[in-house]
Amino acid sequence: MSLSSLVGVFVRRHWRAYAAAALMLAGVAALTVWVPRKIGALIDAMAAHRLSGQQLWLELASLLAIGAAIYFLRVGWRLTLFAAAYKLGVQLRTRFYERLALQGPGFFQKQRTGDLMALATNDIDAIEMAAGEAMLAGFDGSLTLLMVLAIMLLGVDWRLACVALLPFPLMGLAFWRISSHIHSASTDSLKRFSDLNDHVLESLSGVRTVRALGLEQRSGAQFAALAEHAASASLNAQCWEAAYEPAVGLTLTAASALTLGLGGYLLWQGQLTIGALTSFSMYLGQLIWPMFAAGWVLSLIERGRAAWARLQPMLDAPLAIDDHGTLSTLTPGPLLLRDIAYAYPGQNEAALAGLSLSLSPGQTLGLVGPTGSGKSTLLRLLLRQLSAQSGSATWGGQALSDYTLATLRAALSWVPQESFLFSATIYDNIALARPDANRDEVERAARLAAIHEDILAFPDGYQTHVGERGITLSGGQRQRVAIARALLADSALLLLDDALSAVDTGTETQILRHLDELRQNRPERSVIIASHRLSAVVGADLIVVLHAGRIVERGKHDTLLAADGWYASQWRYQQLEASLDAL
């Protein structure tokens, strides 16, 4: 879809607002072009001594009334227009956000966050201006131009009008050349702003790392260079936009010179009155706005086109997971995986290959294995962040793809390896999944996650603000707040993706004991724990050892120790490491 098609669809949806603004603009144009003719007639009447003092005051009063009417009509069309145009910005931002919310991790691995933020702000602002200011400025300028030309040709003197229009084709050629440069300059300006935005976001997000490595000056120099490039690109775009004004000025100067030359001759020959020449000169001055409007409209359209060319690929980007499911209620039952296989794009080796397992309601499954063995990939398949390339995955006898994404993910509570906290209070972060939860429920979840005592140690307790991404908390505290949030959600399946890696073994044991107690109170709730630390899965009903995406061992803790394989070897190593740390 082109920018013109997008704007056309929007205008048709909000035609009443645009029609009202257009009517007010038509009124402004009609009154504006009437003023010079009225003044010309007034001058001729005064020169011929046909006007009394009372009539003069009445004529002046009518001119003031026309001016007031023009003022209020201009205010009215702007309020009406921008109230409608801003709706396009809201719609585009909502559509853009909803699209981003449905994209999978692969999409965000290819896109820069700062660039996406720039698209949601600067670029959509440019599109909004093209749909609002450009549309009505174009209408106003075109209508004024037609009415002024018509009166100049038919109502004043057609000879003066023809001579005055001679320089205008050259101005049209200049506008065409300038607009092509504005399009490329605007594209570069928007991209430079995105680069600057992305650098600021990365620097603020990684401010601890920047300080720890002493990179403040280097980061500052990079920012200065990007800011200079952004300013230079923006200045280049503004310079080309400013080129419209000299083109208009030169054209109108030439037109005025030609008009005065011919008008003076006709006046000398008695074929034109002073009032008519005055009216024509005023009409010629009124052509300034349509000419400037043309330049302004072309500039806004080119900026909008450049912005839409950047935004449209994001809106049309295919979703990693299509939400074609129809089931809105989860059927209780076992989770079954049969011959699951998945390979990341561009990778020769499969992340998962021929994986089959089952998990009954109320059971705990432990996933262990070396780094890169496929543990996190398996959890992401269950979350439908990824889609298996072969095999089947069912829950309660229904394929995972048969459930809507909202239904499936509402039945899952996931604590990822890198816990994310929002810039809010600890209480709000825990209650995120259940905003209606009361204080007792939130505190109970915090106790289960072994974070309650830590929270009470803060001066503001549960009302402590954690800062952006939870920066004021330690890694272990962030993980436990995220676990409390997942436990409060009270979902049918809890997924812990190495979520205990930042806590000590004592805290880990306490949390796992609480999970066992919780499972006894709700026997139908299942848990999947993916962990490098084998102590986290000792009590699991089934432990699966993954290697290169395949199951190489499975069984309970004692069974795997007796098998004397990778699990047993790793268990002995970790126990020895723990005993040495205790010394």
Side-chain angles (χ1 to χ4, degrees):
M1 179 184 290
S2 63
L3 176 64
S4 58
S5 299
L6 173 73
V7 174
V9 170
F10 179 78
V11 171
R12 285 194 294 272
R13 289 178 182 172
H14 302 275
W15 66 270
R16 289 183 178 85
Y18 279 88
L23 286 174
M24 285 185 276
L25 276 173
V28 170
L31 292 173
T32 301
V33 298
W34 186 26
V35 169
R37 187 169 179 83
K38 189 173 182 63
I39 291 176
L42 185 61
I43 290 175
D44 284 339
M46 292 174 63
H49 303 287
R50 298 194 308 267
L51 202 65
S52 65
Q54 184 179 3
Q55 289 175 324
L56 176 62
W57 282 111
L58 289 175
E59 293 291 341
L60 292 176
S62 66
L63 288 175
L64 288 175
I66 291 172
I70 291 174
Y71 170 78
F72 286 110
L73 285 173
R74 286 195 179 279
V75 172
W77 80 255
R78 285 182 176 275
L79 292 176
T80 304
L81 166 68
F82 288 112
Y86 288 154
K87 292 179 181 178
L88 177 61
V90 173
Q91 290 177 10
L92 284 177
R93 287 187 174 92
T94 302
R95 180 181 167 191
F96 185 51
Y97 179 81
E98 289 176 347
R99 194 70 178 179
L100 293 181
L102 293 174
Q103 290 290 1
F107 172 85
F108 295 100
Q109 290 171 0
K110 298 177 183 178
Q111 305 297 330
R112 300 180 304 171
T113 303
D115 193 32
L116 295 176
M117 292 174 62
L119 287 170
T121 52
N122 253 25
D123 293 70
I124 291 181
D125 281 343
I127 297 170
E128 184 181 287
M129 289 293 289
E133 185 80 12
M135 285 286 295
L136 269 297
F139 176 82
D140 185 23
S142 300
L143 184 61
T144 302
L145 176 64
L146 291 175
M147 295 180 71
V148 169
L149 289 178
I151 293 181
M152 290 169 66
L153 284 166
L154 304 176
V156 183
D157 192 285
W158 65 271
R159 294 166 296 181
L160 288 178
C162 291
V163 169
L165 291 176
L166 289 176
F168 280 76
L170 295 177
M171 186 188 70
L173 178 62
F175 275 19
W176 176 74
R177 292 293 303 274
I178 293 170
S179 64
S180 63
H181 286 286
I182 286 180
H183 180 80
S184 58
S186 297
T187 301
D188 185 52
S189 176
L190 292 170
K191 183 180 181 301
R192 297 291 187 181
F193 178 79
S194 292
D195 294 338
L196 180 64
N197 205 35
D198 195 66
H199 177 77
V200 172
L201 180 65
E202 286 189 346
S203 298
L204 294 179
S205 299
V207 64
R208 288 183 173 180
T209 303
V210 170
R211 290 174 178 172
L213 298 177
L215 300 176
E216 294 92 341
Q217 291 185 349
R218 178 180 173 183
S219 180
Q222 290 176 341
F223 174 81
L226 289 171
E228 177 64 29
H229 292 155
S232 177
S234 181
L235 178 62
N236 184 41
Q238 293 295 328
C239 285
W240 280 110
E241 288 183 14
Y244 284 122
E245 185 172 348
V248 172
L250 290 173
T251 300
L252 291 178
T253 299
S256 298
L258 292 172
T259 298
L260 289 175
L262 180 59
Y265 173 77
L266 294 176
L267 187 64
W268 179 264
Q269 296 295 321
Q271 301 179 27
L272 195 70
T273 65
I274 291 180
L277 182 59
T278 302
S279 296
F280 191 90
S281 299
M282 293 182 69
Y283 281 124
L284 194 61
Q286 285 189 355
L287 288 179
I288 293 176
W289 160 240
M291 297 304 102
F292 276 118
W296 177 235
V297 168
L298 288 174
S299 174
L300 291 178
I301 289 176
E302 292 304 327
R303 278 184 169 272
R305 285 180 57 213
W308 179 244
R310 283 166 39 85
L311 179 65
Q312 187 179 21
M314 299 296 106
L315 296 176
D316 295 340
L319 297 177
I321 301 295
D322 290 325
D323 189 7
H324 292 153
T326 58
L327 299 178
S328 58
T329 303
L330 184 70
T331 304
L335 177 65
L336 301 177
L337 305 178
R338 292 190 180 91
D339 296 324
I340 294 294
Y342 180 81
Y344 287 98
Q347 299 293 325
N348 295 325
E349 298 293 331
L352 295 174
L355 188 146
S356 298
L357 55 85
S358 64
L359 180 66
S360 299
Q363 286 189 329
T364 297
L365 171 67
L367 295 177
V368 297
T371 302
S373 60
K375 301 185 295 297
S376 296
T377 301
L378 177 56
L379 296 186
R380 289 169 65 182
L381 285 170
L382 296 178
L383 289 160
R384 292 203 66 210
Q385 293 179 356
L386 305 173
S387 184
Q389 292 155 350
S390 65
S392 64
T394 62
W395 194 357
Q398 299 288 341
L400 294 184
S401 58
D402 291 341
Y403 297 104
T404 64
L405 287 177
T407 300
L408 179 65
R409 291 172 181 172
L412 300 171
S413 293
W414 176 47
V415 184
Q417 293 178 358
E418 298 181 5
S419 302
F420 184 90
L421 300 184
F422 291 89
S423 182
T425 64
I426 294 177
Y427 184 94
D428 291 336
N429 271 283
I430 295 177
L432 183 66
R434 284 185 55 200
D436 59 334
N438 57 42
R439 178 62 178 253
D440 291 339
E441 291 174 320
V442 170
E443 290 189 4
R444 178 173 178 271
R447 288 190 179 92
L448 292 172
I451 188 64
H452 177 69
E453 298 300 329
D454 290 45
I455 296 173
L456 294 182
F458 292 118
D460 296 326
Y462 279 85
Q463 297 305 314
T464 300
H465 283 266
V466 300
E468 189 172 3
R469 296 175 182 267
I471 194 172
T472 60
L473 304 182
S474 68
Q477 288 171 334
R478 286 196 297 271
Q479 279 192 338
R480 284 178 285 163
V481 169
I483 292 173
R485 180 169 61 200
L487 294 176
L488 182 64
D490 197 29
S491 58
L493 177 59
L494 175 63
L495 306 177
L496 301 178
D497 188 2
D498 214 12
L500 301 172
S501 59
V503 302
D504 58 77
T505 54
T507 304
E508 176 192 66
T509 302
Q510 184 181 1
I511 294 173
L512 292 173
R513 185 177 69 252
H514 291 164
L515 288 178
D516 287 336
E517 295 172 357
L518 186 64
R519 190 176 63 168
Q520 293 174 5
N521 295 329
R522 190 182 170 186
E524 73 279 6
R525 187 178 199 178
S526 302
V527 180
I528 298 180
I529 303 175
S531 178
H532 287 93
R533 194 183 291 173
L534 301 187
S535 56
V537 299
V538 169
D541 298 294
L542 174 66
I543 301 173
V544 170
V545 179
L546 296 177
H547 181 76
R550 299 179 181 275
I551 297 178
V552 293
E553 298 179 62
R554 70 170 71 202
K556 289 191 174 184
H557 174 70
D558 293 337
T559 304
L560 293 175
L561 287 181
D564 200 24
W566 180 92
Y567 183 90
S569 174
Q570 193 70 10
W571 173 260
R572 288 192 293 268
Y573 172 79
Q574 290 186 7
Q575 290 298 105
L576 176 61
E577 187 178 44
S579 62
L580 291 176
D581 290 339
L583 294 178

